[in-house]
Amino acid sequence: MPTLTDTLAKLSAAPGVSGHENAVRALLVREFQKLADTVEITPLGSVIGILRAQTTRGPRAARPKSSAAPRLLVEAHMDQIGLIVTDIQDGFIRFEEIGYWDSRVLPSQNVLVHGKKTLPGVIGARPPHVLAAAERKRPLALAELFIDLGLSDARARELVSVGDVITLDRALLSLQNEMVASQALDNRAGLAALLEFLRHMQDTPRAWDIYAVANVNEEDSPLYVGAQTAAYAIQPHIAICLDVTHARQVGLSDDALPEAGQGPGIARGANVHPFVFDKLRQAARRRALPHQITVYGSDTETNAWIMQVTGDGIPTGLVEIPLRYMHSAVETIALSDIARAAELLQEFAAQLNADDARALRGETFVRAPARRARAKRRR
Amino acid sequence: MPTLTDTLAKLSAAPGVSGHENAVRALLVREFQKLADTVEITPLGSVIGILRAQTTRGPRAARPKSSAAPRLLVEAHMDQIGLIVTDIQDGFIRFEEIGYWDSRVLPSQNVLVHGKKTLPGVIGARPPHVLAAAERKRPLALAELFIDLGLSDARARELVSVGDVITLDRALLSLQNEMVASQALDNRAGLAALLEFLRHMQDTPRAWDIYAVANVNEEDSPLYVGAQTAAYAIQPHIAICLDVTHARQVGLSDDALPEAGQGPGIARGANVHPFVFDKLRQAARRRALPHQITVYGSDTETNAWIMQVTGDGIPTGLVEIPLRYMHSAVETIALSDIARAAELLQEFAAQLNADDARALRGETFVRAPARRARAKRRR
Amino acid sequence: MTRKENQAARARAHFPAFDLPAPSPTHAADALTPFHQLIKRLSETYGPSGSEEAVRELARAEIKGLADQIRVDAFGNLIALRKGAGNRRKKIMVTAPLDEPGVMVTFLDARGFARFGMLGAVKPLTLPGARCQFENGVIGVFGRETRGAADTEKDADAFFLDVGATSAQDAPVRIGDAACLVGEFRAAGNLLCGKALSGRARGAILIETLRRLKRATHDVYCVFTVQSQVGARGAGAAAFALQPDYAFVLDATPAQDFPGGDTNLALGKGPAILAQDEKMIASAAARQVLLEATRQTQTPYQIQAHARGGGEGAPIQAAREGTVTGALGLPVRYLHTQSEMVDARDVANIIEILTSVFAAKTL
Amino acid sequence: MTRKENQAARARAHFPAFDLPAPSPTHAADALTPFHQLIKRLSETYGPSGSEEAVRELARAEIKGLADQIRVDAFGNLIALRKGAGNRRKKIMVTAPLDEPGVMVTFLDARGFARFGMLGAVKPLTLPGARCQFENGVIGVFGRETRGAADTEKDADAFFLDVGATSAQDAPVRIGDAACLVGEFRAAGNLLCGKALSGRARGAILIETLRRLKRATHDVYCVFTVQSQVGARGAGAAAFALQPDYAFVLDATPAQDFPGGDTNLALGKGPAILAQDEKMIASAAARQVLLEATRQTQTPYQIQAHARGGGEGAPIQAAREGTVTGALGLPVRYLHTQSEMVDARDVANIIEILTSVFAAKTL
């Protein structure tokens, strides 16, 4: 069985810029196929791994075609922020952001340009010697940056097209105290927790069908279009979002923020259904798992926000991995928080029974999952 | 004979905002009539006092109708910066500037609004108690200022019209060391010197006709229209401008600036004809008059600038009264500088002979003054 | 339509208004091809967002006989179905807007000046001195407050509309009335220029594609959408109803092949296949279909990778469990002004590409 | 004129250009009075500063038979003398501009885009999307660079003109060609609206005054000036030559009786007697003459005291030994745009006042 570090390293090495998630999706499909009864892909490319309800401990039953069990959706977004080629000028690559970057971190990064082949490059800028004093005092604007591939203009145009995406070239780095740093740990950390959760559920008795979902288009889409459409397709009774959140760090010392390594955050607030919150906290307490309560007045800025209002409304929860230096090249997390998030969700899922679904949904309980057959045809 | 202080007090009390010089002009016409053979007024309202050439000492000859003598023009502008009513709102007077103000000096000034009658008023502004911190740190803009006459809206509209002019209400104040302060000493100081010069010339033998000119529209007009048109009418062989200049003061310690009380400035530079400068300096030396040399690369920002290029060009000089706090309510000068400027010009005028005119003008010497008869018809 | 005409007559009878002379007839249009005449007519028709009736009726008349089904949905979208004959036929939805940018009166002051809100991304500072036209023919002139510092693009509150009124009572327009910009249609070689042109040229493309399409493989739903300028509101509703396998949005790509333009997108170099816009990253499968069509038809194309503008793609992509959505951008200079400019060759190439997609054996 | 028409024909024959359809005929103008039709014709005539031939010919034709002498001076000013019959007659000069704001091509780049300079106080930021028309009928669309931050009024370098060309060679305009703004004439009650209207309405006032004037006491020189928009260049030359006793400048007063206007000057409340403009303080004697005329004719008037704009007064006042100069401002909204707006009552009142001045027994 792979270690968490292995999983995370593999996940963070697979490019998956929003809307261009092919590589990371392929990896996830392979992993889901090992761990789920059925794997489906939505029209927009989100991956759904279904683990049917099974009330006995032991090896998985033969894959059932359908189920009347309530549905628990646990999702993590698979996409990452990235860059996109907007122009090629004299062999240099001009680019824009996909997702929300702190563009001050971009100068002097190594990057990979995903053209006809994957090309290593560096982000250059004018040297400080030639800058006016005022220029030295302000951060570089995106329009001043470019990528140098070492190619001639003609060769660059042959290998790279406008619209190709770019990722940072940054392998997972292990720090002290089981902490790791890399690009894209938002949200490869959540994905790792999702896979770990699925692994735990293999021989955990459960009254609900488990829908593990790796969603596309979280970082770029004001509509959270990946999560919205997958949730619409599944119409779950409960949806849990697994994502990262700001951890306490230098310059960000708000006491309300969780600390990395002190356990996953369990979110509370308008975006979280009280029943779901209570059940999550009970689960953490029962397993004596370190955890932290995070509070949001309204928008959690995660897929939880759109899932809550998808269809006729879904009771939603949010489990968070504390992360330092969000949307930088050195996003940093504690591996223990991932492991505990997976254990928390295992305990949560194991506890759910038919009464819970009824309690949440009243008489609207029995519903067939909508049109998944058609969704499956894609790709 | 009036003292210089009396003259200056009278001159500075007579309102004469650019383009609205009636009161000061009336005063000057009376003074010129005492001191000149002929007084004329140009179409635009400049006043010309002509003192014909007279080579013998003693009482003035009968007024000659014409003259073949060369013409010396000595001028000072009679107008002052002021304000103009642009609107009446709820009885309060809104205004704009005529001429170049430092509008930071306007709040809390006493003013005179020259409406159907002359009305005293004050310039008000919002009290500091109600201001935001940022507001307290920036100067008041002209649009935030208004004049309170203590009148109702209806009564204000009855007595004041849009287009009426406004002056500061500020009498001449005597300081130590024969220095005086007031509004409008730019250029009442020059006018006082001009009158004093005329007085000295009464029994000073002279080979040239003296044209003393008090000009309108210096402060407001990018064309120096008063000086230009008067000089065009007179077509003098030499023109001297009498105006004020920045004196050394706190915050303005440029060593090149003249000092108040150390004698008039004699300007040198592209705007001044070398012959005129030399003759002025010789005159000062001959009379052992304290004087200071002021230097201008090009534009002296006085009527000398336009007179120099009027018609086919006029050899021009500039004699300056050093003044502190230009265009404020407390313009400050030394009376001695006025007296010495007048003596300087007396000596200069007395020295001029027919050869000088020929030296300056060569064969173009004999010219009839143009169309003054018609100009005289006005007003 | 009758109701509207009565309103106009009422306004003319009672109020002073800039409504004379009448809009000029379609003069000198003989020099244009019938298709360009159609573009001209569409461009000159009144139809700001929410008031698309006249444009829709014009489009409906044009597509009569060209489709197997024509209907107007509850939202106001005009939908034409051309049935496909293929064995493995898919359901394809293609959208083009009916509406155009404009303004809507939000307030009338005592002196008869109107304040307005934007319908679409009109830039306030380009307006002073420009004109708009209301449905009843009344002309308004845009002005801007001079008091205070309204010198940035953002300060939209400082703008107003002068409809020739002297009081709120005699104003020939009412709060809620919408107006489009005023700009005559012009042609110069391949360049076409006019108000509302970026949208109406796309509508004309759909009409002309239906006209030329001999035999469709797939079921093609041509959706002429309403309210596209104010948040692409019509498109999502149509996608929810139609549940297409593929959606292709005809979009407007801001061409900046002019001095100091900050993108490399140009007029006449083919339509833009969108990698993304501000709100959507195009579905890879849809991009492939479009790319394949350009190969089949040997038409030039450009890629738009800038996250600029938000077209009708985002709500379509988000409909139900998700729609595979691509976008084909008609390059346009001077978007959202009275002088939008397009290249007739780009227009023709989009028709080629769409025809190829509709007739493709498989998708 | 022939030369110009040949040029236009050449441009049409060789180059693509936005020159179709042709400018619309004077339709629906029947509703206008003959005088307002004259204003309309003047407004619609091409005549940016330096290219006033067509307007001047129109004005010259209109004043034929109304003056004792008509001539065009070396500078291009059209001067009509109506001799006075009074014993104590004075020489009065009245000026109105022939020209209008516009632009002039200063550079053509390799792609056929034109850079331009302003003829008059056109505000760059109001231009994008607006159009101009060249003498040969070619239409240009104004655009603005998107690269960089050209978001203030001052940044005039960032604007350009799109004349529908694809290269400098096929551009239908040349460096130095001038263009006027495009804006149809409209009327709404007393309000008149159109391009060039602020100047042409003043020209029409002079023409109509000459037409109505039964008997002048004074010698009246009506000067239709050229190049007024680019520094009032024609007026000073005329004053130098004529040496009038009084000069009255017909000026344009920026009326701001709109939301957030920062002056109290309004349309329809009578012409403005100028206390000053930016470059001149009006001569008191001339102000008195105008004030007296308003009393005689019982016409309303306003006073403009703001030092805004610089009309033709300054160079006239400065001519020779000085000219007693006053100015009468026609209130105009949206000055220097394609939609200048004036009130027909103000126009009529200026005619009354001028007629009264010209016929006054003494001045």
Side-chain angles (χ1 to χ4, degrees):
Chain A
M1 216 171 82
T3 67
L4 202 47
T5 309
D6 293 343
T7 304
L8 207 50
K10 233 163 65 176
L11 282 170
S12 77
V17 175
S18 306
H20 306 76
E21 297 93 347
N22 278 3
V24 71
R25 176 168 44 231
L27 178 61
L28 287 164
V29 167
R30 284 196 300 277
E31 295 298 320
F32 275 27
Q33 278 168 341
K34 296 177 205 160
L35 299 169
D37 300 326
T38 316
V39 177
E40 298 186 351
I41 298 174
T42 71
L44 301 190
S46 293
V47 182
I48 303 173
I50 308 170
L51 199 58
R52 295 294 175 200
Q54 181 174 349
T55 46
T56 55
R57 192 170 294 273
R60 279 199 335 228
R63 295 186 178 186
K65 281 291 176 207
S66 69
S67 162
R71 293 176 295 283
L72 169 66
L73 185 162
V74 182
E75 72 87 39
H77 73 83
M78 72 167 89
D79 61 316
Q80 72 195 78
I81 59 174
L83 307 171
I84 186 166
V85 178
T86 55
D87 202 1
I88 300 166
Q89 294 170 350
D90 300 328
F92 297 101
I93 308 296
R94 297 285 183 172
F95 54 89
E96 275 190 10
E97 300 158 335
I98 290 183
Y100 179 72
W101 277 93
D102 178 351
S103 62
R104 291 171 304 178
V105 309
L106 289 174
S108 293
Q109 293 292 348
N110 295 350
V111 296
L112 295 171
V113 176
H114 303 278
K116 285 225 173 60
K117 49 186 186 177
T118 296
L119 302 159
V122 294
I123 298 183
R126 298 163 65 216
H129 313 72
V130 305
L131 299 181
E135 286 180 302
R136 276 195 291 265
K137 281 176 191 156
R138 63 166 177 74
L140 282 156
L142 202 66
E144 297 172 277
L145 302 176
F146 53 86
I147 292 167
D148 187 344
L149 296 169
L151 290 178
S152 69
D153 191 59
R155 186 74 178 135
R157 286 172 191 279
E158 203 180 310
L159 293 173
V160 181
S161 304
V162 171
D164 287 346
V165 293
I166 304 157
T167 53
L168 297 188
D169 183 11
R170 188 63 74 109
L172 193 75
L173 175 70
S174 289
L175 307 177
Q176 307 304 304
N177 282 324
E178 294 283 291
M179 298 201 70
V180 295
S182 182
Q183 64 158 331
L185 292 191
D186 172 8
N187 184 30
R188 301 302 199 278
L191 279 179
L194 182 65
L195 291 174
E196 195 76 356
F197 159 65
L198 263 188
R199 218 164 268 133
H200 293 331
M201 291 310 293
Q202 297 302 304
D203 57 357
T204 304
R206 59 207 175 258
W208 288 35
D209 287 351
I210 309 296
Y211 286 74
V213 183
N215 272 318
V216 294
N217 292 86
E218 193 269 353
E219 294 290 0
D220 67 301
S221 168
L223 297 174
Y224 300 109
V225 69
Q228 175 184 353
T229 53
Y232 184 92
I234 295 165
Q235 302 197 5
H237 297 75
I238 288 177
I240 306 286
C241 169
L242 262 170
D243 206 338
V244 295
T245 190
H246 296 289
R248 241 174 281 173
Q249 65 172 77
V250 174
L252 200 63
S253 55
D254 184 350
D255 285 341
L257 289 178
E259 193 146 6
Q262 302 300 309
I266 301 176
R268 187 170 199 178
N271 196 181
V272 174
H273 194 286
F275 175 91
V276 177
F277 174 77
D278 288 343
K279 285 278 185 192
L280 283 168
R281 188 162 57 177
Q282 282 167 24
R285 285 175 177 166
R286 191 162 323 117
R287 290 275 283 265
L289 289 168
H291 64 278
Q292 308 176 76
I293 308 298
T294 54
V295 177
Y296 296 89
S298 58
D299 187 356
T300 56
E301 296 186 358
T302 67
N303 281 333
W305 188 239
I306 192 72
M307 291 195 296
Q308 189 181 31
V309 295
T310 296
D312 52 0
I314 302 170
T316 301
L318 170 61
V319 174
E320 300 176 307
I321 317 293
L323 180 148
R324 305 207 277 244
Y325 329 120
M326 189 79 73
H327 286 199
S328 77
V330 292
E331 296 181 329
T332 300
I333 53 131
L335 292 171
S336 62
D337 291 335
I338 297 178
R340 285 162 175 161
E343 288 179 66
L344 170 63
L345 288 170
Q346 178 195 16
E347 183 67 24
F348 174 81
Q351 280 178 63
L352 292 173
N353 58 37
D355 288 343
D356 291 331
R358 266 191 293 275
L360 279 170
R361 291 284 187 144
E363 293 311 302
T364 65
F365 172 73
V366 181
R367 293 199 306 189
R371 286 166 47 85
R372 263 174 302 110
R374 188 172 149 256
K376 198 183 166 185
R377 272 193 342 235
R378 304 262 167 242
R379 300 210 64 251
Chain B
M1 215 172 85
T3 67
L4 203 47
T5 310
D6 294 343
T7 303
L8 207 51
K10 232 160 67 172
L11 283 171
S12 78
V17 175
S18 306
H20 305 77
E21 297 93 347
N22 278 2
V24 72
R25 176 169 41 233
L27 178 60
L28 287 164
V29 168
R30 283 196 300 277
E31 296 297 321
F32 274 26
Q33 279 168 341
K34 295 178 207 160
L35 299 169
D37 300 325
T38 314
V39 176
E40 299 187 350
I41 298 175
T42 71
L44 302 190
S46 294
V47 182
I48 304 174
I50 308 171
L51 199 58
R52 294 292 175 203
Q54 181 174 349
T55 47
T56 55
R57 193 171 294 273
R60 280 202 332 230
R63 295 187 178 187
K65 282 288 176 208
S66 68
S67 163
R71 294 175 294 283
L72 168 65
L73 186 160
V74 183
E75 71 88 39
H77 72 84
M78 71 168 90
D79 61 317
Q80 72 193 81
I81 59 174
L83 308 171
I84 187 167
V85 177
T86 56
D87 203 0
I88 300 167
Q89 294 170 350
D90 301 327
F92 297 102
I93 309 296
R94 297 285 183 174
F95 54 89
E96 277 190 6
E97 300 157 335
I98 289 183
Y100 180 71
W101 277 93
D102 178 351
S103 61
R104 291 171 304 177
V105 310
L106 289 175
S108 293
Q109 293 291 350
N110 294 350
V111 297
L112 295 171
V113 176
H114 302 279
K116 284 224 174 62
K117 48 187 188 177
T118 296
L119 301 159
V122 295
I123 298 182
R126 298 163 65 215
H129 313 75
V130 306
L131 299 180
E135 286 180 300
R136 276 195 291 264
K137 282 177 191 151
R138 62 166 177 74
L140 283 156
L142 202 64
E144 296 172 277
L145 301 177
F146 53 87
I147 292 167
D148 187 344
L149 296 169
L151 291 178
S152 69
D153 191 59
R155 186 77 179 131
R157 285 172 192 279
E158 204 180 310
L159 293 173
V160 181
S161 304
V162 171
D164 288 346
V165 293
I166 304 158
T167 53
L168 297 189
D169 183 9
R170 187 64 74 107
L172 192 74
L173 175 70
S174 288
L175 307 176
Q176 307 305 305
N177 281 323
E178 295 282 293
M179 297 200 70
V180 293
S182 182
Q183 62 160 331
L185 292 191
D186 172 7
N187 186 30
R188 300 304 199 276
L191 280 179
L194 182 64
L195 289 174
E196 196 74 358
F197 159 66
L198 263 188
R199 218 164 269 134
H200 292 332
M201 291 311 293
Q202 296 302 307
D203 56 357
T204 303
R206 57 205 176 263
W208 288 36
D209 286 350
I210 309 296
Y211 287 74
V213 183
N215 271 318
V216 295
N217 291 87
E218 192 269 354
E219 294 290 0
D220 68 299
S221 167
L223 297 174
Y224 301 108
V225 70
Q228 177 184 352
T229 53
Y232 184 91
I234 294 166
Q235 304 196 6
H237 296 76
I238 290 177
I240 306 286
C241 170
L242 261 171
D243 206 340
V244 295
T245 190
H246 296 289
R248 242 173 279 175
Q249 66 172 80
V250 174
L252 199 64
S253 55
D254 184 349
D255 285 341
L257 289 178
E259 193 147 3
Q262 302 300 310
I266 301 175
R268 185 171 200 177
N271 196 180
V272 174
H273 194 286
F275 176 90
V276 177
F277 173 76
D278 288 342
K279 285 278 184 193
L280 283 168
R281 188 162 57 176
Q282 284 168 23
R285 287 176 176 164
R286 189 162 325 119
R287 290 274 282 265
L289 289 167
H291 64 277
Q292 308 176 76
I293 308 297
T294 55
V295 177
Y296 296 89
S298 58
D299 188 355
T300 56
E301 297 187 358
T302 67
N303 281 334
W305 189 239
I306 193 73
M307 291 194 298
Q308 189 181 30
V309 295
T310 296
D312 52 359
I314 302 170
T316 300
L318 171 61
V319 174
E320 300 176 308
I321 318 292
L323 180 147
R324 305 206 279 243
Y325 328 120
M326 188 80 73
H327 285 200
S328 78
V330 292
E331 296 180 329
T332 299
I333 54 131
L335 291 172
S336 62
D337 290 336
I338 296 178
R340 285 161 175 162
E343 288 178 66
L344 169 64
L345 287 171
Q346 179 195 14
E347 184 67 23
F348 174 82
Q351 282 178 63
L352 291 173
N353 58 38
D355 288 344
D356 292 331
R358 267 192 291 277
L360 281 169
R361 291 283 187 145
E363 292 311 302
T364 65
F365 173 73
V366 180
R367 294 199 304 189
R371 287 165 47 84
R372 264 173 302 112
R374 188 169 149 258
K376 198 183 168 184
R377 268 194 345 235
R378 302 262 167 242
R379 301 207 26 112
Chain C
M1 292 300 287
T2 315
R3 187 181 65 82
K4 302 292 180 187
E5 278 158 10
N6 284 347
Q7 277 190 342
R10 181 173 58 79
R12 285 217 184 80
H14 291 75
F15 306 123
F18 291 122
D19 57 359
L20 32 91
S24 57
T26 54
H27 39 225
D30 339 296
L32 301 172
T33 66
F35 175 46
H36 289 179
Q37 283 183 43
L38 169 63
I39 296 177
K40 178 179 190 298
R41 265 181 295 139
L42 283 164
S43 160
E44 289 178 346
T45 303
Y46 169 91
S49 302
S51 307
E52 299 91 348
E53 295 87 345
V55 192
R56 187 173 59 222
E57 290 317 304
L58 176 52
R60 196 213 292 255
E62 288 291 328
I63 60 175
K64 202 176 163 189
L66 303 177
D68 296 300
Q69 277 181 27
I70 296 176
R71 70 169 192 274
V72 175
D73 71 13
F75 204 82
N77 300 307
L78 171 66
I79 304 175
L81 164 62
R82 184 72 171 271
K83 282 197 180 136
N87 293 329
R88 302 169 61 191
R89 68 174 180 269
K90 295 282 167 61
K91 201 189 279 187
I92 301 176
M93 168 175 160
V94 189
T95 73
L98 288 169
D99 59 327
E100 65 187 292
V103 296
M104 179 175 278
V105 174
T106 54
F107 179 69
L108 278 165
D109 73 15
R111 290 182 294 171
F113 289 96
R115 299 290 184 162
F116 58 91
M118 298 301 177
L119 299 173
V122 178
K123 290 192 189 109
L125 261 186
T126 65
L127 291 180
R131 306 180 188 186
C132 64
Q133 181 156 23
F134 288 84
E135 193 167 16
N136 62 7
V138 166
I139 291 288
V141 171
F142 292 100
R144 176 179 158 206
E145 295 185 11
T146 48
R147 191 154 53 196
D151 64 349
T152 70
E153 294 271 331
K154 283 97 195 169
D155 205 350
D157 292 347
F159 297 81
F160 59 87
L161 201 49
D162 187 333
V163 291
T166 62
S167 72
Q169 285 68 45
D170 79 357
V173 301
R174 290 286 166 262
I175 290 172
D177 286 359
C180 61
L181 300 175
V182 172
E184 210 177 7
F185 180 87
R186 293 270 179 164
N190 284 314
L191 295 179
L192 313 178
C193 175
K195 70 103 176 155
L197 196 57
S198 80
R200 301 291 159 69
R202 289 179 275 156
I205 285 169
L206 278 198
I207 293 169
E208 188 69 8
T209 306
L210 280 174
R211 184 166 286 140
R212 293 203 204 159
L213 186 65
K214 297 276 181 284
R215 191 168 180 280
T217 313
H218 306 287
D219 289 345
V220 175
Y221 289 86
C222 291
V223 182
F224 300 84
T225 57
V226 294
Q227 301 193 25
S228 80
Q229 304 286 340
V230 291
R233 295 159 56 78
F240 193 93
L242 297 174
Q243 303 182 35
D245 295 302
Y246 288 90
F248 298 102
V249 169
L250 294 191
D251 212 333
T253 286
Q256 302 194 337
D257 52 340
F258 49 62
D262 70 348
T263 76
N264 56 338
L265 295 161
L267 292 196
K269 296 198 173 169
I273 295 178
L274 267 63
Q276 60 173 338
D277 64 25
E278 205 174 285
K279 294 183 175 163
M280 173 189 81
I281 294 175
S283 304
R287 276 176 74 177
Q288 282 309 318
V289 167
L290 293 174
L291 277 173
E292 178 58 27
T294 62
R295 269 191 291 273
Q296 293 293 332
T297 55
Q298 300 205 305
T299 47
Y301 68 91
Q302 310 174 75
I303 301 277
Q304 181 194 326
H306 291 276
R308 300 279 162 77
E312 300 191 307
I316 293 174
Q317 197 179 45
R320 294 195 185 251
E321 69 268 36
T323 310
V324 175
T325 305
L328 205 51
L330 172 64
V332 183
R333 288 188 196 143
Y334 323 124
L335 256 175
H336 309 125
T337 74
Q338 65 270 49
S339 304
E340 296 184 324
M341 199 183 286
V342 304
D343 191 301
R345 292 168 297 178
D346 296 330
V347 170
N349 282 329
I350 295 179
I351 295 171
E352 293 293 317
I353 292 167
L354 287 182
T355 305
S356 168
V357 170
F358 298 166
K361 289 226 171 78
T362 57
L363 283 185
Chain D
M1 290 298 286
T2 314
R3 188 183 64 82
K4 301 294 177 183
E5 277 158 11
N6 283 348
Q7 277 191 342
R10 182 174 58 79
R12 285 216 183 80
H14 292 74
F15 305 123
F18 291 122
D19 58 357
L20 33 91
S24 57
T26 55
H27 39 224
D30 337 297
L32 300 174
T33 65
F35 176 46
H36 289 178
Q37 283 183 42
L38 170 63
I39 296 177
K40 178 179 190 299
R41 265 181 296 139
L42 283 165
S43 160
E44 289 177 346
T45 302
Y46 169 90
S49 301
S51 308
E52 300 91 348
E53 295 87 344
V55 191
R56 188 174 55 223
E57 291 317 305
L58 176 52
R60 197 211 292 254
E62 287 292 328
I63 59 175
K64 203 177 163 188
L66 302 178
D68 296 300
Q69 277 182 31
I70 296 175
R71 70 170 192 274
V72 175
D73 71 12
F75 205 82
N77 300 306
L78 172 66
I79 302 176
L81 164 61
R82 185 71 170 272
K83 283 198 179 134
N87 293 330
R88 303 170 60 190
R89 68 175 180 268
K90 294 283 167 62
K91 203 188 277 186
I92 302 177
M93 167 175 161
V94 190
T95 73
L98 288 170
D99 59 327
E100 66 186 293
V103 297
M104 179 175 278
V105 174
T106 54
F107 180 71
L108 278 165
D109 74 14
R111 290 181 294 170
F113 289 96
R115 299 290 183 163
F116 58 91
M118 298 303 177
L119 299 173
V122 178
K123 290 193 188 106
L125 261 186
T126 66
L127 291 181
R131 305 181 187 183
C132 65
Q133 182 156 21
F134 288 84
E135 193 167 16
N136 62 7
V138 166
I139 291 288
V141 171
F142 292 101
R144 176 180 158 207
E145 296 184 11
T146 49
R147 192 154 53 195
D151 64 350
T152 70
E153 294 271 332
K154 284 97 197 170
D155 205 350
D157 292 348
F159 297 80
F160 60 86
L161 201 48
D162 187 333
V163 292
T166 62
S167 71
Q169 285 68 44
D170 78 358
V173 301
R174 289 286 166 263
I175 290 173
D177 285 359
C180 61
L181 300 175
V182 172
E184 211 177 4
F185 180 86
R186 294 271 178 165
N190 284 314
L191 295 178
L192 311 179
C193 175
K195 69 103 175 154
L197 196 56
S198 81
R200 301 292 159 69
R202 288 180 274 156
I205 284 170
L206 277 199
I207 293 168
E208 189 68 8
T209 305
L210 280 174
R211 185 166 287 139
R212 293 203 204 158
L213 187 64
K214 296 275 180 287
R215 190 168 181 281
T217 312
H218 306 287
D219 288 344
V220 175
Y221 290 86
C222 291
V223 183
F224 300 83
T225 57
V226 294
Q227 302 194 26
S228 80
Q229 304 288 338
V230 291
R233 295 159 57 79
F240 192 92
L242 297 175
Q243 303 182 36
D245 295 301
Y246 288 89
F248 297 102
V249 169
L250 294 191
D251 211 335
T253 286
Q256 302 196 339
D257 53 338
F258 49 61
D262 69 350
T263 75
N264 55 338
L265 295 160
L267 292 196
K269 296 198 173 169
I273 295 177
L274 267 64
Q276 60 172 338
D277 64 24
E278 205 174 284
K279 294 184 176 162
M280 172 190 80
I281 293 175
S283 304
R287 276 175 75 178
Q288 282 309 319
V289 168
L290 293 174
L291 277 172
E292 178 57 26
T294 62
R295 270 191 291 273
Q296 293 294 334
T297 54
Q298 301 206 305
T299 47
Y301 68 92
Q302 310 175 74
I303 301 277
Q304 181 193 324
H306 291 277
R308 301 279 161 77
E312 299 190 309
I316 292 174
Q317 197 179 44
R320 295 196 184 248
E321 69 268 35
T323 310
V324 174
T325 306
L328 205 50
L330 172 65
V332 184
R333 289 189 195 141
Y334 323 124
L335 256 175
H336 309 125
T337 73
Q338 65 271 50
S339 303
E340 296 184 323
M341 198 182 289
V342 304
D343 191 300
R345 292 169 298 179
D346 296 330
V347 170
N349 282 328
I350 294 179
I351 294 171
E352 293 293 317
I353 292 168
L354 287 183
T355 305
S356 168
V357 170
F358 297 167
K361 288 225 173 78
T362 56
L363 283 184

